[in-house]
């Protein structure tokens, strides 16, 4: 039991994986002005209800791997594989944006910047974080809550102080930014604001390494998501109220620039350091989730056994190393002088791909409820239906080009799945034998 993680560790994984991914967002959202605040409210509602749904799924099936485990219970092997594969691939694809943000906050500390140097820093961060995760889940996820709070507090304090310097003329009005295409503009905003919450479910990937999933996951997921929603809204409001939109949109480290304006002296360097650490911690959370996702897929018989190969610390060596190797060329090929453009591209693709995963998880949740409909409460149905509608709304308003590119993440796993199915047939192992359902007694204990 000493190797298991508890509430504060899960809460940390939930919050850090979200907050770290969104520290660059005030700059990306600056062109949208007041509409971005509307986007934060809508995304906060959607993410919180999604968090409730994932918590209900997790306490029914507290297994390593995350979303694919729930899809397996509802729809079987093929859907489970492609869900897990997609989630695994985009977990390390999305990491590139967070690593880039970490370097953007680190550069003000040293005052030296070049494309080559920044790329080296990005490579160093992802390799170092992978090395930490090779020490095992407990080492990667056992940061004390006090340490997390110390990191979060300054990032919330700066926007709160900024409210005393607030100038509403710095924030463009909705009618100014939306023009005649309100729906299209709102969709762009929703993709950006929802990115800030992507990762709330990643902690469920380590459910097999949590002391008491039934007791820990519901409050950790929901309270963590609400806490992050508060940070994001206050941060956007405070930062946009201090820095004019046309300047903020070209700022690579918005928290640092805000601190420089309102605090003076060298305090902005402390904020830059803290923001950098938060981003790196988010990379750690995503790396941890990536390894556990691949491990879960393999344990369910869908991936070659070497994906589940562990070292003496219990870390899935091959999965972690492969994720790291896959991230390095992405950092190289997406490197750009225009940070906002690079991050926006990654965000659009990542969020849309994550929405694919969320949609099938919603369908799995609703099917599970239907199978147990005699004892399920109405609010549980509401969580599933609302979550499904929320995800489909954003997907249907996303450009077709983005949807097609994201579809590649899904079908890229087809060769491996075909090979794995042939192996199963060759050994006489059936899909039914490979996939053992969770005992009914566990599912019946869900609230």
């Amino acid at each position: 039991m000493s190797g298991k993680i508890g509430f504060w560790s899960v809460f940390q994984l939930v919050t850090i994986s979200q907050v770290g991914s969104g520290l660059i967002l005030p700059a990306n959202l600056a062109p949208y002005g007041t509409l971005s605040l509307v986007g934060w409210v809508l995304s906060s509602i959607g993410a919180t209800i999604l968090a409730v749904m994932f918590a209900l799924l997790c306490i029914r099936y507290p297994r390593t791997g995350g979303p694919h485990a729930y899809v397996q219970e509802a729809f079987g092997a093929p859907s489970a594989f492609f869900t897990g594969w997609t989630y695994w691939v985009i977990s390390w694809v999305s990491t590139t944006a967070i690593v880039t943000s970490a370097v953007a906050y680190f550069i003000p500390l040293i005052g030296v910047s070049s494309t080559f140097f920044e790329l080296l820093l990005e490579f160093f961060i992802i390799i170092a974080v992978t090395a930490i995760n090779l020490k095992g889940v407990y080492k990667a996820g056992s940061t004390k809550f006090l340490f997390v709070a110390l990191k979060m507090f300054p990032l919330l304090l700066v926007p709160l102080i900024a409210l005393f310097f607030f100038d509403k003329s710095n924030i463009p009005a909705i009618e100014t930014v939306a023009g005649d295409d309100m729906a299209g503009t709102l969709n762009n905003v929703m993709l950006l604001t929802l990115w800030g919450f992507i990762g709330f479910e990643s902690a469920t990937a380590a459910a097999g390494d949590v002391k008491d999933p039934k007791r820990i996951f519901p409050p950790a997921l929901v309270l963590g998501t609400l806490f992050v929603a508060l940070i994001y809204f206050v941060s956007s409001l405070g930062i946009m109220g201090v820095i004019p939109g046309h300047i903020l949109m070209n700022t690579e480290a918005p928290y640092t620039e805000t601190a420089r304006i309102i605090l003076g002296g060298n305090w902005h360097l402390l904020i830059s350091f803290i923001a950098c650490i938060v981003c790196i911690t988010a990379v750690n959370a995503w790396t941890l989730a990536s390894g556990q996702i691949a491990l879960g897929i393999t344990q369910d018989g869908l991936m070659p056994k070497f994906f589940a190969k562990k070292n003496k610390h219990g870390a899935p060596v091959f999965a972690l190393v492969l994720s790291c190797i896959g991230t390095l060329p992405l950092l190289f090929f997406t490197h750009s002088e225009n940070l906002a453009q690079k991050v926006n591209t990654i965000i659009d693709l990542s969020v849309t791909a994550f929405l694919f995963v969320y949609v099938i998880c919603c369908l799995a949740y609703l099917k599970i409820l239907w199978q147990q409909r005699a004892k399920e409460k109405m609010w549980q149905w509401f969580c599933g239906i609302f979550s499904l509608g929320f995800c489909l709304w954003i997907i249907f308003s996303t450009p077709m080009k983005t949807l097609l590119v994201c579809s590649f993440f899904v079908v890229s796993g087809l060769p491996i799945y075909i090979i794995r199915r042939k192996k199963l047939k060759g050994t006489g192992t059936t899909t039914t034998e490979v996939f053992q359902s969770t005992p009914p007694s566990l599912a019946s204990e869900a609230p």
Side-chain angles (χ1 to χ4, degrees), residues 329-349:
L330 284 171
L331 290 170
F332 177 79
F333 288 116
T334 60
H335 202 77
S336 171
E337 295 292 339
N338 189 327
L339 177 65
Q341 181 179 356
K342 170 184 176 178
V343 173
N344 277 353
T345 300
I346 297 173
I347 287 175
D348 287 350
L349 294 175

Side-chain angles (χ1 to χ4, degrees), residues 70-384:
Y70 318 135
V71 175
Q72 172 189 323
E73 294 295 334
F75 301 119
S79 298
F81 170 79
F82 285 107
T83 299
W85 174 267
T86 303
Y87 193 65
W88 181 53
V89 172
I90 58 178
S91 70
W92 46 268
V93 169
S94 303
T95 303
T96 58
I98 310 175
V99 173
T100 300
S101 299
V103 172
Y105 277 104
F106 182 74
I107 292 301
L109 298 173
I110 57 177
V112 178
S113 177
S114 70
T115 301
F116 179 71
F117 181 67
E118 291 175 5
L119 189 59
L120 284 180
L121 285 176
E122 291 173 359
F123 279 16
F124 174 78
I125 289 173
I126 192 63
I127 292 172
V129 169
T130 300
I132 292 173
N133 276 268
L134 288 173
K135 294 294 184 180
V137 170
Y138 183 67
K139 290 291 184 183
S142 60
T143 306
K144 299 301 182 183
F145 177 70
L146 179 60
F147 180 55
V148 177
L150 288 174
K151 290 187 295 183
M152 294 287 199
F153 182 70
L155 298 180
L156 184 58
L157 182 63
V158 168
L160 285 173
I161 297 176
L163 293 176
F164 292 96
F165 299 84
F166 187 86
D167 183 353
K168 66 178 182 179
S169 65
N170 288 331
I171 307 178
I174 291 180
E175 56 272 14
T176 302
V177 299
D180 297 328
D181 187 18
M182 174 66 77
T185 305
L186 181 59
N187 180 70
N188 293 336
V189 171
M190 291 300 295
L191 284 174
L192 288 170
T193 53
L194 191 58
W195 164 256
F197 295 101
I198 293 294
F200 69 87
E201 78 297 329
S202 64
T204 66
D209 292 286
V210 176
K211 294 177 181 177
D212 186 355
K214 178 180 177 181
R215 179 180 60 84
I216 288 175
F217 270 107
L221 283 174
V222 177
L223 293 178
T225 302
L226 289 173
F227 179 62
V228 168
L230 174 64
I231 290 178
Y232 278 141
F233 187 85
V234 173
S235 295
S236 291
L237 183 63
I239 291 174
M240 289 194 299
V242 168
I243 306 176
H246 67 281
I247 297 176
L248 180 58
M249 64 187 294
N250 296 311
T251 302
E252 294 190 353
Y255 282 83
T256 301
E257 183 62 19
T258 303
R260 187 188 65 79
I261 294 173
I262 66 176
L263 299 178
N266 293 320
W267 286 102
H268 66 287
L269 297 179
L270 175 62
I271 298 302
S272 194
F273 174 75
I274 293 171
C276 177
I277 295 300
V278 170
C279 288
I280 292 174
T281 312
V283 175
N284 176 66
W286 274 111
T287 303
L288 170 63
S290 177
Q292 294 298 307
I293 292 164
L295 180 61
I297 303 172
T298 308
Q299 289 177 340
D300 285 339
L302 289 169
M303 296 278 274
K305 291 182 179 179
F306 56 79
F307 273 89
K309 182 179 176 60
K310 296 182 180 181
N311 60 16
K312 63 180 181 180
H313 303 290
V317 179
F318 185 83
L320 289 171
V321 171
L322 187 60
S323 296
C324 178
I325 293 174
T327 303
L328 294 178
L330 284 171
L331 290 170
F332 177 79
F333 288 116
T334 60
H335 202 77
S336 171
E337 295 292 339
N338 189 327
L339 177 65
Q341 181 179 356
K342 170 184 176 178
V343 173
N344 277 353
T345 300
I346 297 173
I347 287 175
D348 287 350
L349 294 175
S350 296
V351 172
T352 305
F354 271 108
L355 285 171
F356 289 171
V357 174
Y358 292 167
V359 164
I360 194 167
C361 286
C362 290
L363 293 174
Y365 173 77
L366 290 173
K367 182 177 180 180
I368 292 169
L369 284 187
W370 177 256
Q371 292 171 339
Q372 303 173 354
R373 57 188 178 277
K375 52 187 175 182
E376 303 303 334
K377 299 179 175 61
M378 185 59 66
W379 68 268
Q380 295 176 330
W381 283 97
F382 169 78
C383 286

